[in-house]
Amino acid sequence: MKKAAIINVTGYSGIELARILHRHPDIELTQVTGRSAVGQKLGEAFPHLSDIDMEIEAEVTESVDVVFSALPQTASAEALIPLVEQGVKSIDISADFRLKDATEYEDWYGVAHPKAQLLEESVYGLTELNRSDVRSATLVANPGCYPTGAILALAPAVREGLIHEDIIIDAKSGVSGAGRGLSLNTHFSEVNENVSAYSVSGHRHLPEITQELRRVRGGFDPKITFLPHLIPMTRGILDSCYATLKDGAIASGPEGIKELRALYESFYRDEPFVQVVGSSPMTKHTLGNNNCVIYPTVDLRTNRLMVVSCLDNLVKGAAGQAIQNMNLMLGLEETEGLEQLALYP
């Protein structure tokens, strides 16, 4: 039985990590920390976790096989650096180790990286594209929730050279994506019966998406317009992705749609948590599970690729993906603890 710890269990991602790890057959959750609830029993802070008899502590002091950090950026790096230097397998759910360029990190997050040399050593933990690197990693940067859906939606078309570099990603997220911190924009009366675009001048997940799509195909330099929206629901992300197909990339007409779907099905055939479907999905198809559901098609009037993807931002977009990475890092079955049907309705 491998031992795990969670740094900052009191955020939504940390809570979800504890919930999923509790039923993992090969992992014992031995320690949790939380800046705002030190000394409380986990079940007192979160009654739905009352079966986990554990006190929330100030910092990780025990020897563990793997540690998850669900702290905000910058604080997460500062907490993980000593553990990484000790050789503890570490998974960061914040953005601190996702970008390879320290200058780009500083531009988007407004602070200098506390240990920039670790950026090159970290592995971007989108398992479906980087599985072999994740297996041998000590430090994994868990992908952002928006990028997970967007990159998985576009990777097959990019890899096969089907599309031009001008890409539009129209994304919608539930309110839990903003975290548990108090904000006027996420108050019930502000969000309910309301939809709004935000970060119109540039969202922090944009450089992450661009970086990883460049890596999918050498020489591909995407020009991405990424616009997120806040939707009045708790969980879920729906990404609608658009790009113009190259002339002759696939057959014309309905045969081209069949060809595209077959290409996506082949690309993800052996992926346990990616489902390519024949009709447009909805977020409830992934509520509570670790799946990303993808629907690729073509707008025949404009010769434009359209890919719709959806996932649960707290599972495949955060805690579930982190556990999927952990399984590989520890030599466990990749699907352990994650085979869960969605909740519906």
Side-chain angles (χ1 to χ4, degrees), residues 115-328:
K115 192 148 189 176
Q117 56 265 46
L118 284 179
L119 295 177
E120 279 302 320
E121 297 176 22
S122 68
V123 172
Y124 189 78
L126 191 54
T127 316
E128 288 76 12
L129 300 185
N130 300 319
R131 184 172 281 106
S132 61
D133 290 336
V134 169
R135 278 198 177 98
S136 59
T138 298
L139 173 60
V140 164
N142 219 56
C145 48
Y146 281 129
T148 297
I151 295 166
L152 291 174
L154 292 163
V158 172
R159 177 75 56 83
E160 297 301 316
L162 302 185
I163 58 175
H164 291 286
E165 295 174 331
D166 189 12
I167 296 170
I168 295 173
I169 301 168
D170 181 294
K172 286 95 174 170
S173 174
V175 183
S176 62
R180 292 188 75 216
L182 299 179
S183 167
L184 176 63
N185 292 335
T186 56
H187 282 192
F188 176 81
S189 55
E190 301 289 333
V191 174
N192 187 46
E193 299 185 86
N194 192 23
V195 176
S196 60
Y198 65 98
S199 296
V200 176
S201 60
H203 189 280
R204 289 174 171 180
H205 284 173
L206 174 58
E208 183 182 338
I209 298 169
T210 303
Q211 171 186 278
E212 294 306 308
L213 288 180
R214 282 180 181 145
R215 295 181 65 239
V216 169
R217 182 179 177 88
F220 186 76
D221 188 19
K223 309 297 186 293
I224 298 173
T225 298
F226 170 57
L227 186 60
H229 300 75
L230 189 63
I231 302 293
M233 62 185 186
T234 301
R235 291 176 181 238
I237 280 180
L238 188 86
D239 285 334
S240 301
C241 307
Y242 311 98
T244 300
L245 288 160
K246 293 180 179 178
D247 290 340
I250 58 175
S252 60
E255 285 303 312
I257 296 176
K258 292 180 182 178
E259 185 181 334
L260 178 71
R261 191 165 302 149
L263 182 152
Y264 269 71
E265 288 171 349
S266 176
F267 191 93
Y268 289 121
R269 177 169 292 124
D270 298 322
E271 297 300 337
F273 298 116
V274 179
Q275 299 175 340
V276 179
V277 296
S279 59
S280 187
M282 54 185 169
T283 55
K284 282 200 173 181
H285 291 162
T286 60
L287 184 62
N289 73 20
N290 197 52
N291 291 349
C292 179
V293 180
I294 298 174
Y295 171 61
T297 190
V298 179
D299 181 347
L300 298 178
R301 296 162 296 182
T302 60
N303 194 41
R304 185 170 289 125
L305 172 76
M306 300 192 299
V307 188
V308 180
S309 68
C310 65
L311 51 80
D312 186 321
N313 56 292
L314 296 181
V315 189
K316 184 60 173 170
Q321 178 71 63
I323 291 168
Q324 189 178 349
N325 285 321
M326 176 204 71
N327 285 339
L328 288 172

